[in-house]
Amino acid sequence: AQSVAQPEDQVNVAEGNPLTVKCTYSVSGNPYLFWYVQYPNRGLQFLLKYITGDNLVKGSYGFEAEFNKSQTSFHLKKPSALVSDSALYFCAVSPATGNQFYFGTGTSLTVIP
Amino acid sequence: GAVVSQHPSRVICKSGTSVKIECRSLDFQATTMFWYRQFPKQSLMLMATSNEGSKATYEQGVEKDKFLINHASLTLSTLTVTSAHPEDSSFYICSARDWANTEAFFGQGTRLTVV
């Protein structure tokens, strides 16, 4: 069965500090991995994706994520958090074959001024 | 990135009536569209996946006769909530994907309130 886990419901970090939002996955075959961000009462905005190639993926707004096949993880990172980064973050996985998108439960990030 | 427009953004309807939500891909052809439901502070629950010109594939537990999905063209999909009840009140989000892109692009969401 395909699944995505975001073990932390809430992450708090001080402004200027590095942030990490965790994601692990279980999918058959080679996965496509994604991060999306959601602001209140809005749809999801695409941040970045891993398809193949370099394990470190850079995306929008200074975010990056590292694909770790052995640990089946795809953690989202940013070197220096901004207050405006406070939002709900979703990890998603899509099998390389097939149309489905599976989302994690979301992690609420709060950046404290 | 590609733009997906969802309309309306907010709707209030009376119990027993039907509501239609539109999802349009503005600058690409959406071969696949997804409909999600999101409860407060919860993740997105995939309701159904539709490919242009064919019947939608519903996830287990989603009533296809209640949530009618039509994907008649490469730029438009609609979700109709039939005979709405207060428990159908939720945030509904569509997303779309074209054959060339691996990521999906999301609409702004529709807040449905059934009174």
Side-chain angles (χ1 to χ4, degrees):
Chain A
Q2 331 281 8
S3 66
V4 181
Q6 290 180 245
E8 301 157 318
D9 292 336
Q10 175 80 41
V11 170
N12 297 324
V13 63
E15 186 177 23
N17 282 4
L19 70 86
T20 299
V21 183
K22 295 179 180 177
C23 173
T24 59
Y25 65 90
S26 173
V27 67
S28 55
N30 295 318
Y32 296 159
L33 296 159
F34 308 86
W35 275 101
Y36 287 85
V37 60
Q38 185 182 32
Y39 296 97
N41 292 311
R42 303 290 293 174
L44 275 65
Q45 295 178 29
F46 171 74
L47 278 180
L48 51 79
K49 66 180 177 183
Y50 171 83
I51 304 302
T52 188
D54 194 349
N55 289 345
L56 184 63
V57 178
K58 293 187 183 296
S60 306
Y61 313 119
F63 284 94
E64 59 188 30
E66 185 167 11
F67 171 61
N68 188 317
K69 188 172 184 178
S70 63
Q71 296 185 4
T72 61
S73 67
F74 190 56
H75 301 330
L76 180 70
K77 300 182 179 184
K78 187 172 182 179
S80 178
L82 301 173
V83 173
S84 57
D85 293 330
S86 299
L88 192 56
Y89 290 81
F90 289 98
C91 180
V93 63
S94 179
T97 55
N99 248 337
Q100 300 87 348
F101 256 77
Y102 300 97
F103 282 86
T105 49
T107 299
S108 179
L109 173 68
T110 300
V111 181
I112 303 164
Chain B
V3 178
V4 174
S5 177
Q6 189 173 340
H7 178 81
S9 58
R10 189 177 294 268
V11 59
I12 301 173
C13 72
K14 291 184 177 181
S15 187
T17 62
S18 296
V19 173
K20 181 184 284 189
I21 303 170
E22 291 188 350
C23 182
R24 293 181 185 274
S25 57
L26 298 187
D27 51 3
F28 68 100
Q29 293 186 327
T31 49
T32 304
M33 285 189 167
F34 307 88
W35 286 95
Y36 296 87
R37 184 172 178 177
Q38 186 180 31
F39 293 98
K41 298 184 178 180
Q42 292 191 24
S43 187
L44 286 76
M45 182 193 79
L46 178 64
M47 298 174 67
T49 303
S50 72
N51 294 301
E52 184 265 338
S54 59
K55 289 184 179 180
T57 301
Y58 289 81
E59 295 296 303
Q60 191 172 7
V62 178
E63 299 175 61
K64 62 180 181 181
D65 294 330
K66 181 167 184 62
F67 298 99
L68 300 178
I69 292 172
N70 184 281
H71 190 172
S73 78
L74 283 170
T75 59
L76 174 64
S77 177
T78 59
L79 167 67
T80 302
V81 183
T82 63
S83 187
H85 289 101
E87 56 265 32
D88 299 325
S89 298
S90 192
F91 193 58
Y92 292 87
I93 306 176
C94 72
S95 71
R97 199 180 195 183
D98 69 12
W99 66 271
N101 277 303
T102 49
E103 68 265 36
F105 300 97
F106 284 78
Q108 309 94 313
T110 297
R111 172 71 59 192
L112 170 64
T113 304
V114 184
V115 298

Coordinates of all heavy atoms in Angstrom, one line a residue, chain A residues 30-36 46 48-52 57 74 92-103, chain B residues 2 28-29 31-32 34 36 95-106:
Chain A
N30 N 9.8 3.2 -8.0 CA 10.5 4.5 -7.8 C 9.4 5.6 -7.7 O 8.6 5.8 -8.5 CB 11.4 4.8 -9.0 CG 12.5 3.8 -9.1 OD1 13.1 3.4 -8.1 ND2 12.8 3.4 -10.4
P31 N 9.5 6.3 -6.6 CA 8.4 7.3 -6.3 C 8.8 8.7 -6.9 O 9.9 9.0 -7.1 CB 8.4 7.4 -4.8 CG 9.9 7.2 -4.4 CD 10.4 6.2 -5.5
Y32 N 7.8 9.4 -7.2 CA 7.9 10.9 -7.4 C 7.5 11.5 -6.0 O 6.5 11.1 -5.5 CB 7.0 11.4 -8.5 CG 7.3 10.8 -9.8 CD1 6.3 10.9 -10.8 CD2 8.5 10.3 -10.2 CE1 6.6 10.4 -12.1 CE2 8.8 9.8 -11.4 CZ 7.8 9.9 -12.4 OH 8.1 9.4 -13.7
L33 N 8.3 12.4 -5.5 CA 8.0 13.0 -4.2 C 7.8 14.5 -4.4 O 8.5 15.2 -5.2 CB 9.2 12.7 -3.3 CG 9.3 11.2 -3.0 CD1 10.7 10.9 -2.5 CD2 8.3 10.8 -2.0
F34 N 7.0 15.1 -3.5 CA 6.6 16.5 -3.7 C 6.4 17.1 -2.3 O 6.1 16.4 -1.3 CB 5.3 16.6 -4.4 CG 5.2 15.9 -5.7 CD1 4.8 14.6 -5.8 CD2 5.5 16.6 -6.9 CE1 4.8 13.9 -7.0 CE2 5.4 15.9 -8.1 CZ 5.1 14.6 -8.2
W35 N 6.6 18.4 -2.2 CA 6.2 19.2 -1.1 C 5.3 20.3 -1.6 O 5.6 21.0 -2.6 CB 7.4 19.8 -0.4 CG 8.0 18.9 0.6 CD1 9.2 18.1 0.5 CD2 7.6 18.6 1.9 NE1 9.4 17.4 1.6 CE2 8.5 17.6 2.5 CE3 6.5 19.0 2.7 CZ2 8.3 17.1 3.8 CZ3 6.3 18.6 4.0 CH2 7.2 17.6 4.5
Y36 N 4.2 20.5 -0.8 CA 3.3 21.6 -1.1 C 3.1 22.4 0.2 O 3.3 21.9 1.3 CB 2.0 21.1 -1.5 CG 1.9 20.5 -2.9 CD1 2.3 19.2 -3.1 CD2 1.5 21.3 -4.0 CE1 2.2 18.6 -4.4 CE2 1.4 20.7 -5.3 CZ 1.8 19.4 -5.5 OH 1.7 18.9 -6.7
F46 N 2.7 24.5 -5.0 CA 3.8 23.6 -5.2 C 5.1 24.2 -4.8 O 5.4 25.4 -5.1 CB 3.8 23.2 -6.7 CG 5.1 22.5 -7.2 CD1 5.2 21.1 -6.9 CD2 6.1 23.1 -7.9 CE1 6.4 20.5 -7.3 CE2 7.2 22.5 -8.3 CZ 7.3 21.1 -8.0
L48 N 8.4 22.0 -4.4 CA 9.5 21.3 -5.1 C 9.1 19.8 -5.3 O 8.1 19.3 -4.7 CB 10.8 21.4 -4.3 CG 10.8 21.0 -2.8 CD1 10.8 19.5 -2.6 CD2 11.9 21.7 -2.1
K49 N 9.9 19.2 -6.1 CA 9.7 17.8 -6.4 C 11.0 17.1 -6.6 O 12.0 17.7 -7.0 CB 8.8 17.6 -7.6 CG 9.5 18.1 -8.9 CD 8.6 18.0 -10.1 CE 9.2 18.5 -11.4 NZ 8.3 18.4 -12.6
Y50 N 11.0 15.8 -6.4 CA 12.1 14.9 -6.7 C 11.5 13.9 -7.7 O 10.5 13.2 -7.4 CB 12.6 14.2 -5.5 CG 13.6 13.1 -5.9 CD1 14.9 13.4 -6.2 CD2 13.2 11.8 -6.0 CE1 15.8 12.4 -6.6 CE2 14.1 10.8 -6.4 CZ 15.4 11.1 -6.7 OH 16.3 10.2 -7.2
I51 N 12.2 13.8 -8.8 CA 11.8 12.8 -9.8 C 12.9 11.7 -10.0 O 12.8 10.5 -9.8 CB 11.5 13.4 -11.2 CG1 10.4 14.5 -11.0 CG2 11.0 12.3 -12.2 CD1 9.1 13.9 -10.4
T52 N 14.1 12.3 -10.3 CA 15.3 11.4 -10.4 C 16.5 12.3 -10.4 O 16.4 13.6 -10.4 CB 15.2 10.7 -11.8 OG1 16.3 9.7 -11.8 CG2 15.3 11.6 -13.0
V57 N 17.2 18.5 -3.7 CA 16.3 19.3 -4.7 C 16.1 20.7 -4.1 O 15.7 20.8 -2.9 CB 15.0 18.6 -4.8 CG1 14.0 19.4 -5.8 CG2 15.1 17.1 -5.4
F74 N 12.1 12.1 2.8 CA 12.2 13.3 1.9 C 11.9 14.5 2.7 O 10.8 15.2 2.6 CB 11.1 13.1 0.7 CG 11.3 14.2 -0.4 CD1 12.5 14.3 -1.1 CD2 10.2 14.9 -0.8 CE1 12.6 15.2 -2.1 CE2 10.3 15.9 -1.8 CZ 11.5 16.0 -2.4
A92 N 3.9 14.8 -0.4 CA 3.0 13.9 -1.3 C 3.9 13.0 -2.1 O 5.1 13.3 -2.4 CB 2.2 14.7 -2.2
V93 N 3.4 11.8 -2.4 CA 4.1 10.8 -3.2 C 3.2 10.4 -4.3 O 2.0 10.2 -4.1 CB 4.6 9.6 -2.3 CG1 3.4 8.9 -1.7 CG2 5.4 8.7 -3.1
S94 N 3.8 10.1 -5.5 CA 3.0 9.6 -6.6 C 3.9 8.5 -7.2 O 5.1 8.7 -7.4 CB 2.8 10.7 -7.6 OG 2.1 10.2 -8.8
P95 N 3.3 7.3 -7.4 CA 4.1 6.2 -8.0 C 4.5 6.6 -9.4 O 3.7 7.4 -10.1 CB 3.2 5.0 -7.9 CG 1.8 5.6 -7.8 CD 2.0 6.9 -7.1
A96 N 5.6 6.2 -9.9 CA 6.1 6.5 -11.2 C 5.1 6.0 -12.3 O 5.0 6.6 -13.3 CB 7.5 5.9 -11.4
T97 N 4.5 4.9 -12.0 CA 3.4 4.4 -12.9 C 2.1 4.6 -12.1 O 1.9 4.1 -11.0 CB 3.6 3.0 -13.2 OG1 3.7 2.2 -12.0 CG2 4.9 2.8 -14.0
G98 N 1.2 5.3 -12.7 CA -0.1 5.5 -12.1 C -0.4 7.0 -11.8 O 0.6 7.8 -11.9
N99 N -1.6 7.3 -11.6 CA -2.0 8.7 -11.5 C -2.2 9.2 -10.1 O -2.5 10.4 -9.9 CB -3.3 8.8 -12.3 CG -3.1 9.6 -13.6 OD1 -2.2 10.4 -13.7 ND2 -4.0 9.4 -14.5
Q100 N -2.1 8.4 -9.1 CA -2.6 8.8 -7.8 C -1.6 9.7 -7.2 O -0.4 9.6 -7.4 CB -2.8 7.6 -6.9 CG -3.8 6.6 -7.4 CD -3.2 5.6 -8.4 OE1 -2.1 5.7 -8.8 NE2 -4.0 4.6 -8.7
F101 N -2.1 10.6 -6.3 CA -1.3 11.4 -5.4 C -1.7 11.1 -4.0 O -2.9 11.1 -3.7 CB -1.6 12.9 -5.7 CG -0.6 13.6 -6.4 CD1 -0.5 13.4 -7.8 CD2 0.3 14.5 -5.8 CE1 0.4 14.1 -8.6 CE2 1.3 15.1 -6.6 CZ 1.3 15.0 -7.9
Y102 N -0.7 10.7 -3.2 CA -1.0 10.4 -1.8 C -0.4 11.5 -0.9 O 0.8 11.8 -1.0 CB -0.5 9.1 -1.4 CG -1.2 8.0 -2.2 CD1 -0.5 7.4 -3.3 CD2 -2.4 7.5 -1.9 CE1 -1.1 6.5 -4.1 CE2 -3.0 6.5 -2.7 CZ -2.4 6.0 -3.7 OH -2.9 5.0 -4.5
F103 N -1.2 12.1 0.0 CA -0.7 13.1 0.9 C -0.4 12.7 2.3 O -1.1 11.8 2.8 CB -1.7 14.3 0.9 CG -1.6 15.1 -0.4 CD1 -2.3 14.8 -1.5 CD2 -0.8 16.3 -0.4 CE1 -2.2 15.6 -2.6 CE2 -0.7 17.0 -1.5 CZ -1.4 16.7 -2.7
Chain B
A2 N 1.8 26.3 -13.6 CA 0.4 26.3 -14.3 C -0.6 26.8 -13.3 O -0.5 26.7 -12.1 CB 0.1 24.9 -14.8
F28 N -3.0 25.1 -19.4 CA -2.5 23.8 -19.8 C -3.7 22.8 -20.0 O -4.8 23.1 -19.5 CB -1.5 23.2 -18.8 CG -2.1 22.9 -17.5 CD1 -2.4 21.5 -17.2 CD2 -2.3 23.8 -16.5 CE1 -2.9 21.2 -15.9 CE2 -2.8 23.5 -15.3 CZ -3.1 22.2 -15.0
Q29 N -3.5 21.7 -20.6 CA -4.5 20.7 -20.8 C -4.4 19.7 -19.7 O -3.4 19.0 -19.5 CB -4.4 20.1 -22.1 CG -4.7 21.0 -23.3 CD -4.7 20.3 -24.6 OE1 -3.9 19.4 -24.9 NE2 -5.5 20.8 -25.5
T31 N -5.1 16.4 -18.3 CA -5.5 15.1 -18.7 C -6.1 14.4 -17.5 O -6.9 13.5 -17.6 CB -4.4 14.3 -19.3 OG1 -3.2 14.4 -18.4 CG2 -4.0 14.8 -20.7
T32 N -5.6 14.8 -16.3 CA -6.1 14.2 -15.1 C -6.5 15.3 -14.1 O -5.7 16.2 -13.9 CB -5.1 13.2 -14.4 OG1 -4.7 12.3 -15.4 CG2 -5.7 12.5 -13.2
F34 N -8.1 15.8 -10.0 CA -8.3 15.2 -8.7 C -9.2 16.1 -7.9 O -9.1 17.3 -7.9 CB -7.0 15.0 -7.9 CG -5.9 14.3 -8.7 CD1 -5.0 15.0 -9.5 CD2 -5.7 12.9 -8.6 CE1 -4.0 14.4 -10.2 CE2 -4.7 12.3 -9.3 CZ -3.8 13.0 -10.0
Y36 N -10.4 16.7 -3.9 CA -10.1 16.4 -2.5 C -11.1 17.1 -1.6 O -11.7 18.1 -1.9 CB -8.7 16.9 -2.1 CG -7.6 16.2 -2.9 CD1 -7.2 16.7 -4.1 CD2 -6.9 15.1 -2.3 CE1 -6.1 16.1 -4.8 CE2 -5.8 14.6 -3.0 CZ -5.5 15.1 -4.2 OH -4.4 14.5 -4.9
S95 N -7.3 19.5 -8.1 CA -6.0 19.7 -8.7 C -6.0 19.1 -10.1 O -6.8 18.3 -10.4 CB -4.9 19.1 -7.8 OG -5.0 17.7 -7.8
A96 N -5.0 19.5 -10.8 CA -5.0 19.0 -12.2 C -3.5 18.7 -12.6 O -2.6 19.4 -12.1 CB -5.6 20.1 -13.1
R97 N -3.4 17.8 -13.5 CA -2.1 17.4 -14.0 C -2.2 17.2 -15.5 O -3.2 16.6 -16.0 CB -1.8 16.0 -13.3 CG -0.4 15.6 -13.2 CD -0.5 14.2 -12.5 NE 0.9 13.8 -12.1 CZ 1.1 12.6 -11.5 NH1 0.1 11.8 -11.2 NH2 2.3 12.3 -11.1
D98 N -1.2 17.6 -16.2 CA -1.2 17.3 -17.6 C -0.2 16.1 -17.9 O 0.5 15.7 -17.0 CB -0.9 18.5 -18.5 CG 0.6 19.0 -18.4 OD1 1.4 18.3 -17.8 OD2 0.8 20.1 -18.8
W99 N -0.2 15.7 -19.1 CA 0.6 14.5 -19.4 C 2.1 14.7 -19.3 O 2.9 13.8 -19.0 CB 0.3 14.0 -20.9 CG 0.8 15.0 -21.9 CD1 0.1 16.0 -22.4 CD2 2.1 15.0 -22.5 NE1 0.9 16.7 -23.3 CE2 2.1 16.1 -23.4 CE3 3.2 14.2 -22.4 CZ2 3.2 16.4 -24.2 CZ3 4.3 14.5 -23.2 CH2 4.3 15.6 -24.1
A100 N 2.5 16.0 -19.4 CA 3.9 16.3 -19.4 C 4.5 16.6 -18.0 O 5.7 16.5 -17.7 CB 4.2 17.5 -20.3
N101 N 3.6 16.9 -17.1 CA 4.1 17.3 -15.7 C 3.9 16.2 -14.7 O 2.9 15.5 -14.7 CB 3.3 18.5 -15.2 CG 4.0 19.8 -15.8 OD1 5.1 20.1 -15.6 ND2 3.2 20.6 -16.5
T102 N 4.8 16.1 -13.8 CA 4.7 15.1 -12.8 C 4.0 15.7 -11.6 O 3.3 14.9 -10.8 CB 6.1 14.6 -12.4 OG1 6.9 15.7 -12.1 CG2 6.7 13.7 -13.4
E103 N 4.0 17.0 -11.4 CA 3.3 17.6 -10.2 C 1.9 17.9 -10.6 O 1.6 18.1 -11.8 CB 4.1 18.8 -9.7 CG 4.1 20.0 -10.6 CD 5.4 20.0 -11.4 OE1 5.9 19.0 -11.9 OE2 5.8 21.2 -11.7
A104 N 1.1 18.1 -9.6 CA -0.3 18.5 -9.8 C -0.4 20.0 -9.3 O 0.4 20.4 -8.4 CB -1.2 17.6 -9.0
F105 N -1.2 20.7 -9.9 CA -1.4 22.1 -9.6 C -2.8 22.2 -9.0 O -3.8 21.6 -9.5 CB -1.3 23.0 -10.8 CG 0.1 22.9 -11.4 CD1 0.3 22.0 -12.5 CD2 1.2 23.6 -10.9 CE1 1.6 21.9 -13.0 CE2 2.4 23.5 -11.4 CZ 2.7 22.6 -12.5
F106 N -2.9 23.1 -8.0 CA -4.2 23.1 -7.2 C -5.0 24.3 -7.4 O -4.4 25.5 -7.6 CB -3.8 23.0 -5.7 CG -3.4 21.6 -5.3 CD1 -2.2 21.1 -5.6 CD2 -4.4 20.8 -4.7 CE1 -1.8 19.8 -5.2 CE2 -4.0 19.5 -4.3 CZ -2.8 19.0 -4.6

